[in-house]
Amino acid sequence: MLSHALSDIRYRLRAVFARTTVEQELDDELRFHLERETEKYERQGMPHEAALRRARVAFGGVEQMKEASRDMRGVAGLQSVIRDLRYAVRSLTRRPAFAVTVIATLTLGIGANTAIFTLVDALLLRPLPVPHPEQLVIVSDPAAVNWNGNGPPVTDYVSFLLYRDVRARNTVFTDMYANGDTGELDVTVGGAQEGTVEHPHARFVTGNVFTVLGIHAYAGRTFTAQEDQSPSDDPVAVITYDYWRRRFSGSRAAIGSIMRVNGVPVTIIGVAPPGFEGDIVGQPLDLWLPMMMEPAIRPAMKVLEDREWSWLVMMGRLKPGVTLAQARAEVSALEPNAIREHLVGRSLSQFEENLKETPVRVVSGARGFSDRRAEYGRALWVLLAAVGLVILVVCANVSSLMLARTVARGRELTVRMALGAGRGRLLQQLLVESGLLALVSSLLGVFCAAWATRVLLASVRPSSPIAIDTTPNIRVLAFTAAITLACTVLCGLLPALRGTRVDLGTSLRMQGRNLMGGTRAGRIPFGRVLVIAQLTLSMLLLIGGGLLVRSMQQLLHGNLGMDRDHVVTVRVRTVRSQYVGARLAQLRLDLAERVRRLPGVEAAAFADHGEFGGGNSGGYVDVPGFVPNADAERRVALDRVGPQFFRAIGARLLLGRDIEASDLESAPRAAVINETMARRYFGARNPLGSPFTLDSVVFTIVGVVGDFQGSDVREKPDPEFYYASNDPSQGDAGQAKLFVHVRVEPADVVGPIRRVVEGVAPNLPIAVDPVNDLVRGSVSEDMLLMQVTMFFCVLTLGLATLGLYGVTAYASSQRTSEFGLRAALGAEPRDVARMVVEEALRVAIVGVGMGVPAGLAATRLIRAQLYGVGTIDVPSLSIAIGVLVTTALVASYLPARRAARVAPLEALRLE
Amino acid sequence: MSDDRLDLPQGTLDLLILKALTLEPMHGWGISERIHQASRATLQIPQGSLYPALHRLERRGWIRASWGTSDNNRRAKYYELTRAGRKQCEAEAQDWERLAAAVALVLRIS
């Protein structure tokens, strides 16, 4: 069987590629046969002529035999396709405008789709590049990777001791490893004491991480089982391939060299293979450090021994034969038990409460951890849907272009059909032509996509970049191929079917211009359907895009509860500097004092968290007169602030007073609560003067402040209270934060503020940002979604305008004689023009009529992306409708002008 | 020369060609002559179906073609049986014998 197949293929290949030779051989063979046959008759005594004739008659039709032989070669199909390809190339190069337009449009559509799908694949679909990723199981929240939280034990992040318990007691995993954030590290490459300080991205990992994941070192080695057993014993690190090439130029000398991490010398022992950037998708990573080095590198934190410090995420590999469900069942029981053993009383009941709300999560780890996925995932799916709309519009547009072309070639097709070409054969030729266009476009589109993905990724905020590999892989290429095929069919099939459906009789006759009957035969209702489709889809995008724009407006300028346009935040990193303890407290006071004296500054105050700084603190309060139904109702957020904090951020005091300097020393401590907290615990009563307790510390309420957004602009504010504190042992002792309320433009004071701060605290990392910049940074993914959607809107509108223009121009050119007649009968030019415009408007109205309900239904899908706008937003809806109507006017302008200029005699002469 | 042409079904033509080549390689005209003679001048292969059949057999890999010089010093395309072709010939010949015998049996019943 195999030999048959091989010889078959070889024969066919020869028939295709050596066609001339094969034909020549056939000619020779047949000629030889005829000669011998002739000779035979001659030998029987016939004269040469008669013998030749006899032989020919006996032989039969030569051409038919050649055809039959060619059929037997089995490559007729392929050869006809090749012939069609050559013909398509010739006819396309003869009309380059058409080819270029179609290729450009298709490239945009296919390229955009490939780009978005590359991102979707890389961030949302791709499994980790490790052997058997389906065996990996995450015991925590896959999106929880970046938080050094502490407080009551949670089930998503685990403490190191809890990890050890779960690892020791489970029976479902061959092994488990844990992985935690290192925070910012000061790294000097080269081992010298002094040198440029860099901040590579690093993670603390248990020593078995590479074994569990199944990763072998590309150069050097990875952690052994002996390392990572005892604290601070093994100062080694493994670096990523990318970091190795970037920072060490891929030099082998890097392996074995020393780098100082927070002052601790660490030896680089190996390089991970290329393509493996850790188990956290989308986050850049440069090196792994053993968990046991944590006490040496971060001596102040004592994290490994504290059960309260939940900062690790865990991953395990299932034993063969064990299912995810079994693992889930076991771990969901095992982990809480391990936690319970070390809790009593209040903490225990708090934990049980938490457990009810967030049970232990045991999910597949095939795609690794990713908080970027959680951040951007939704937006990406929305983009994919939007770009799907774009490709549909593109296909409709190209389809109508092709339809116009086949109609223009009507005579050619008719003649060929009259000569005997079957409809299928013509269909094949037209499809080959559209297939060729689609193929060229898809190749160009893949290149465009590569560029576009880079641009998209680069425009994400630099503080949390997305690090993903965007080189096309099999899935992406298969997606592109599928789209190309769909385009070929969508764009080419319908026009081809239409074009080859010709009535030979009437078409061959010269089509007389029948004044009475108008030009019914000339209309392309199908072309109009395509344009309506394009307009409807554009409407969908317009509505969605409009809502996103309005959302962004709200995000960037909406009311946040404080004076967002006139507040500047200052952050000074004091960790590992001389500012600890009392010096840190003094620094805060000094900073506030000095900045306050700057011209243009109204107020300045320090605070622990303030706003948009990341991080927050909380606690459980007891308010006399309030009986909570659950422990969760006792939880509030809190912030330690300096004097005049609310003046410094421009928040509105509803009752009572601001925090003053005297409050720093007072007892009971003075607290200002926010609106939400007042409403929860006091209802309509006046809370001023009432006390409350937190962890046995008594506070007195001296004021109520209006809610303001602390961190995430979208979330409702929690109940929160603020008290005066400059205690360096509490809260975030690694930095000093200052909030400055200015009378002038924030951008103008950034420089002076920075100089003052540098004067007070030289040589420390300082960040000075107006609040609006921070807000903009925190909504960068929404900004990106909005920008890309608007780009797609413009694209589809442009295409729809062109489509409408084409159809209108064609329809009015068909009616030239009608216009001429009307003009001869006394119609004004503008009446004729109005007819053309009305025609276009009618089409646009249909598009609007179909697009609006569809758009309103579809916006429900993006409700999560919206902020401050409902799904039926009248302003953006009216603008969308207005834009579409304007499109119709613009598209019909030129055809209307041409129609108005039709001279009656000219038109009637066109017979 | 009588014109008792029997319309040969396609499979039979293949079999005859293969059989004709079992003795020695031959060119197309020679195969036609050989079959004509071997059938005692009964079978005359319609020339129109000979060459397509030959090309089909060549594609299937049962015969192999090469160019050589004929006995009257002209260039001609010679075909020869391959090993697979030889096996195919035997198999088909057996099938044919069985079929013919069965048909004959049925016809004898009357």
Side-chain angles (χ1 to χ4, degrees), chain A residues 263-396:
Chain A
V264 177
V266 167
T267 318
I268 299 175
I269 53 164
V271 180
F276 181 68
E277 297 278 311
D279 50 2
I280 303 178
V281 176
Q283 217 165 295
L285 184 63
D286 299 315
L287 64 140
W288 291 274
L289 294 163
M291 189 73 64
M292 286 296 145
M293 288 307 296
E294 196 272 342
I297 292 179
R298 300 193 306 187
M301 294 180 77
K302 305 226 183 317
V303 142
L304 293 187
E305 309 140 16
D306 191 348
R307 270 187 196 271
E308 292 262 313
W309 203 288
S310 307
W311 66 296
L312 297 174
V313 288
M314 296 197 284
M315 174 108 81
R317 194 179 269 280
L318 289 171
K319 284 190 179 142
V322 179
T323 63
L324 179 61
Q326 289 170 309
R328 186 176 295 136
E330 185 179 282
V331 174
S332 309
L334 191 158
E335 188 177 312
N337 282 339
I339 298 177
R340 283 186 192 109
E341 284 171 11
H342 301 271
L343 295 178
V344 285
R346 173 76 68 72
S347 342
L348 182 59
S349 52
Q350 266 166 219
F351 168 68
E352 300 290 354
E353 287 279 337
N354 286 349
L355 192 60
K356 271 182 234 149
E357 269 181 43
T358 14
V360 177
R361 247 182 281 233
V362 180
V363 295
S364 163
R367 291 176 303 135
F369 300 96
S370 181
D371 63 346
R372 301 292 140 82
R373 187 180 296 152
E375 249 184 292
Y376 291 92
R378 254 271 183 55
L380 274 180
W381 286 119
V382 170
L383 270 183
L384 197 63
V387 88
L389 287 178
V390 170
I391 193 81
L392 283 177
V393 170
V394 163
C395 282

Side-chain angles (χ1 to χ4, degrees), chain A residues 103 176 183 259 452 666 737:
Chain A
I103 290 181
M176 300 183 77
M259 55 178 8
S666 70
K737 250 194 245 179

Side-chain angles (χ1 to χ4, degrees), chain A residues 498-772:
Chain A
R498 268 326 204 67
T500 51
R501 189 203 308 168
V502 272
D503 180 1
L504 288 177
T506 50
S507 302
L508 277 178
R509 259 179 267 136
M510 279 292 276
Q511 199 164 37
R513 208 52 71 110
N514 187 345
L515 288 180
M516 298 299 285
T519 45
R520 289 281 135 189
R523 286 236 171 118
I524 330 172
F526 181 62
R528 202 177 281 178
V529 166
L530 287 175
V531 170
I532 292 179
Q534 289 178 58
L535 289 170
T536 310
L537 293 169
S538 305
M539 191 69 190
L540 271 175
L541 273 178
L542 271 175
I543 293 179
L547 285 174
L548 287 175
V549 168
R550 291 265 294 154
S551 277
M552 185 55 58
Q553 269 182 335
Q554 291 293 324
L555 281 171
L556 292 181
H557 304 290
N559 182 16
L560 292 180
M562 40 105 148
D563 192 357
R564 63 187 291 173
D565 297 320
H566 294 100
V567 175
V568 176
T569 63
V570 180
R571 287 167 293 162
V572 181
R573 250 171 56 96
T574 58
V575 69
R576 280 188 301 283
S577 71
Q578 45 175 317
Y579 295 99
V580 286
R583 297 195 64 176
L584 179 60
Q586 190 59 40
L587 173 70
R588 290 183 179 144
L589 290 170
D590 288 340
L591 281 175
E593 181 61 42
R594 296 285 297 275
V595 171
R596 208 173 285 143
R597 287 198 240 130
L598 275 176
V601 170
E602 252 198 51
F606 58 83
D608 209 21
H609 299 300
E611 28 172 53
F612 300 112
N616 59 47
S617 308
Y620 290 85
V621 296
D622 294 301
V623 183
F626 178 78
V627 180
N629 297 330
D631 232 15
E633 284 186 5
R634 294 176 48 239
R635 185 167 173 87
V636 298
L638 64 90
D639 202 0
R640 302 175 193 89
V641 302
Q644 301 192 338
F645 173 66
F646 299 109
R647 263 187 73 193
I649 61 170
R652 211 165 43 106
L653 271 173
L654 300 173
L655 290 172
R657 61 171 178 83
D658 201 339
I659 301 277
E660 301 295 337
S662 50
D663 296 324
L664 283 171
E665 313 292 325
S666 70
R669 320 198 73 138
V672 174
I673 63 175
N674 72 359
E675 232 182 312
T676 312
M677 183 165 172
R679 220 172 318 137
R680 180 194 279 184
Y681 298 109
F682 297 93
R685 289 184 292 132
N686 186 336
L688 287 185
S690 307
F692 65 88
T693 341
L694 178 120
D695 283 349
S696 10
V697 176
V698 182
F699 296 87
T700 317
I701 299 174
V702 300
V704 179
V705 67
D707 289 339
F708 60 88
Q709 297 290 102
S711 44
D712 191 342
V713 184
R714 292 170 180 271
E715 289 186 9
K716 268 168 38 80
D718 289 327
E720 192 167 358
F721 75 90
Y722 311 87
Y723 69 97
S725 165
N726 196 3
D727 187 350
S729 65
Q730 282 187 320
D732 193 347
Q735 59 178 348
K737 250 194 245 179
L738 200 65
F739 294 88
V740 188
H741 196 184
V742 299
R743 275 187 286 266
V744 296
E745 272 299 312
D748 296 337
V749 279
V750 165
I753 291 180
R754 181 177 277 271
R755 277 193 292 279
V756 165
V757 175
E758 273 169 4
V760 176
N763 299 328
L764 288 182
I766 301 172
V768 182
D769 301 291
V771 160
N772 272 337

